[in-house]
Amino acid sequence: MASSTPTATTLFRRLCWDGTVPIEVKIDSKELPAGSDRTLESFYIRAPRVSYLPLLIQEVKTFLFDLVLDEASAKDMKTDDWWFEAEGGALLKWHWPVGLLYDLHLVAHPAPDFQMKPFTIILHLASPPTDKLLFTPSIETCKQSFMGQLKEADFLRWGNTKRVTSLRKEDQDGLWEGIVEHNFDDFWRIASKIAPSPNPLAPPLTPNPSSPTLPAPSSRPASTQPPSGSDRDNAYSVRSVPVRIYLPDGPVIQDLVPPFLEDGLPHSLSLFLSAQLPLLFKPSPTSSLSPVDPNAPKSNLAFALIQGVIAPLDCEMAWLGACMSGADGWVNVCIGLEK
Amino acid sequence: VNVLFKGVGGAPVLNRNKFSIATTVKYQSLLVFLRKQLESKPNDPLFTYINGAFSPAPDDTISNLYKCFSTDGMLIVYYRYVVKCAIFGSHITISSVPAWG
């Protein structure tokens, strides 16, 4: 693929894209009509992290629903009234990516040794709590929500949504199709037009540090971009990185995350979290030159889970925005408490 | 926090368009409030855009939206109905608000 995205970036994006989570779907037995096969209790599915629950419905229908219910009941059942709940009772939102739902469940119900246990969700067939759900599970509303998140992320980065809105309609639809079909190449072929790339800002006049005149054409593509090209979509020149913090008990925090702080240092995860959640993430000394207090507690009270991985706190926010975001452009940070 | 509503694309202009809203509410409540102000029925299509650019998820909190998107101390929400055209001849008024594309 003729792209100027550095290999490392593509690697991380690929890893995020290919990430899956194990889900166990059970139908609420109280809602099964008579004549259902009750021996088939659950259906296991490996869902892509970037997918959404409404997209899984068809698979659930084919592999579980149609097998459990007898033909007559299955034909009449419409999926409009379906809704999902986590085994603990938490309502699962349609417009949150599956990976986020899983990670949040993981931090809210920590398992010993951090094993990836299947996330058990219960499928209800009727009486959706519409006041809380806010959406019907149609694929169209899910797509609209996805596009909305993409635009919000675009706006946060650049102060306008031009990058998304100037895509041709086929490309905009193509992004969603990429998610529906789960095709990395199709999705990123379009997404790379709007996603930021994580090249640290090169010094303004020398694109290639070793050659002050013309950049060597065959060296690393990232550094041979003319400064205007790489600055335009550079993750480090965004106004704010689209990040949301999810706490185990519910509140979602969103705030401005500039890629650089006032002192010129890149904004890191540890600085961001200690500013937002100072009780959980102790602020570290502001100057790296000050001696580390040997008596200071070394471990934090909490950790940050991004795409299912405990993120090292010295990650740069701009890099996270370019490489570890979900398909909708958002970096979702789930906070878990250390035991 | 302060919210400013701007009607576009032929939507009715409110007599009073600046309001104070609690930060803890979700965007969904703001939509319900706007509908009441506009006296529109729940089934009437109503589209809103923060800064005229995008529509947030209904369960986003006003606090988060304000922190990220306020301008000069206000959260600016554009609103419009769907424009049903074809009655005005060949010229169709294009809303200045970017639509889905």
Side-chain angles (χ1 to χ4, degrees):
Chain A
M1 167 163 73
S3 128
S4 55
T5 315
T7 321
T9 309
T10 310
L11 171 66
F12 279 98
R13 287 177 177 166
R14 179 108 221 183
L15 289 170
C16 290
W17 182 267
D18 287 343
T20 58
V21 293
I23 299 187
E24 175 189 8
V25 184
K26 288 182 174 166
I27 301 188
D28 185 352
S29 53
K30 299 190 284 297
E31 294 169 5
L32 285 171
S36 308
D37 178 356
R38 282 163 199 268
T39 57
L40 264 179
E41 283 195 342
S42 45
F43 166 58
Y44 288 85
I45 182 173
R46 270 239 156 228
R49 282 179 166 273
V50 299
S51 184
Y52 295 84
L53 286 175
L55 296 176
L56 301 179
I57 284 188
Q58 188 50 46
E59 214 172 320
V60 173
K61 193 161 187 300
T62 317
F63 290 106
L64 180 63
F65 190 73
D66 288 345
L67 293 173
V68 168
L69 266 67
D70 62 21
E71 259 191 62
S73 324
K75 259 200 288 208
D76 293 332
M77 185 72 69
K78 293 200 189 49
T79 58
D80 292 353
D81 284 337
W82 285 19
W83 55 285
F84 288 97
E85 184 183 40
E87 206 165 34
L91 183 61
L92 296 179
K93 299 186 200 247
W94 294 118
H95 57 290
W96 284 13
V98 168
L100 173 61
L101 292 169
Y102 184 90
D103 284 349
L104 197 53
H105 175 78
L106 201 61
V107 299
H109 304 88
D113 302 336
F114 239 168
Q115 294 157 352
M116 275 200 97
K117 289 177 55 198
F119 178 22
T120 305
I121 66 178
I122 309 213
L123 167 62
H124 292 275
L125 306 172
S127 324
T130 38
D131 53 338
K132 298 224 188 80
L133 266 182
L134 308 170
F135 278 118
T136 50
S138 78
I139 301 207
E140 190 53 38
T141 12
C142 198
K143 174 183 180 183
Q144 303 261 344
S145 162
F146 169 76
M147 295 305 298
Q149 291 301 304
L150 218 48
K151 289 184 189 182
E152 190 174 341
D154 209 24
F155 191 90
L156 261 182
R157 288 191 198 114
W158 312 109
N160 60 64
T161 54
K162 280 202 213 112
R163 279 166 180 72
V164 176
T165 51
S166 58
L167 290 175
R168 295 171 306 171
K169 177 120 189 6
E170 305 139 24
D171 279 351
Q172 294 188 16
D173 291 342
L175 284 169
W176 180 247
E177 287 305 308
I179 297 207
V180 171
E181 307 290 324
H182 197 62
N183 188 314
F184 177 83
D185 293 323
D186 283 350
F187 179 82
W188 277 104
R189 184 179 52 239
I190 307 171
S192 53
K193 298 183 196 174
I194 56 178
S197 65
N199 310 318
L201 277 177
L205 297 173
T206 31
N208 185 334
S210 63
S211 134
T213 51
L214 282 174
S218 57
S219 61
R220 290 177 300 128
S223 60
T224 61
Q225 285 249 339
S228 54
S230 59
D231 284 0
R232 199 184 148 263
D233 280 339
N234 193 300
Y236 287 80
S237 47
V238 298
R239 287 166 58 177
S240 173
V241 180
V243 184
R244 285 194 181 116
I245 302 180
Y246 295 82
L247 293 165
D249 277 336
V252 180
I253 302 177
Q254 185 181 325
D255 205 340
L256 291 173
V257 183
F260 286 100
L261 296 170
E262 281 160 8
D263 52 8
L265 292 174
H267 201 8
S268 70
L269 190 59
S270 101
L271 292 170
F272 174 57
L273 290 175
S274 55
Q276 294 291 331
L277 303 166
L279 296 174
L280 291 177
F281 293 92
K282 301 209 186 329
S284 44
T286 45
S287 161
S288 53
L289 297 174
S290 67
V292 177
D293 179 0
N295 296 326
K298 290 241 159 52
S299 55
N300 280 308
L301 297 171
F303 59 88
L305 200 65
I306 302 181
Q307 299 285 1
V309 171
I310 300 186
L313 292 175
D314 52 0
C315 282
E316 290 176 2
M317 297 309 295
W319 183 86
L320 287 172
C323 299
M324 296 292 284
S325 60
D328 57 2
W330 287 86
V331 178
N332 294 319
V333 182
C334 293
I335 304 294
L337 297 173
E338 296 279 6
K339 289 221 180 300
Chain B
V1 296
N2 296 323
V3 177
L4 172 66
F5 289 113
K6 275 189 168 171
V8 286
V13 178
L14 294 168
N15 286 333
R16 197 184 143 211
N17 60 4
K18 286 198 185 123
F19 296 93
S20 235
I21 195 166
T23 53
T24 48
V25 305
K26 299 208 190 311
Y27 192 69
Q28 175 73 5
S29 307
L30 185 144
L31 291 177
V32 168
F33 176 79
L34 178 60
R35 274 190 187 282
K36 257 200 252 163
Q37 292 298 310
L38 292 171
E39 289 170 16
S40 78
K41 303 194 240 350
N43 289 334
D44 284 348
L46 175 67
F47 297 93
T48 58
Y49 305 89
I50 302 283
N51 292 332
F54 65 87
S55 224
D59 59 349
D60 274 352
T61 58
I62 295 293
S63 149
N64 284 335
L65 292 171
Y66 184 82
K67 274 189 279 182
C68 295
F69 304 110
S70 60
T71 345
D72 297 330
M74 314 218 82
L75 184 63
I76 304 182
V77 180
Y78 287 59
Y79 62 91
R80 66 183 186 103
Y81 296 144
V82 174
V83 177
K84 284 201 160 57
C85 52
I87 302 181
F88 288 80
S90 54
H91 181 67
I92 301 170
T93 312
I94 307 220
S95 167
S96 58
V97 177
W100 289 119

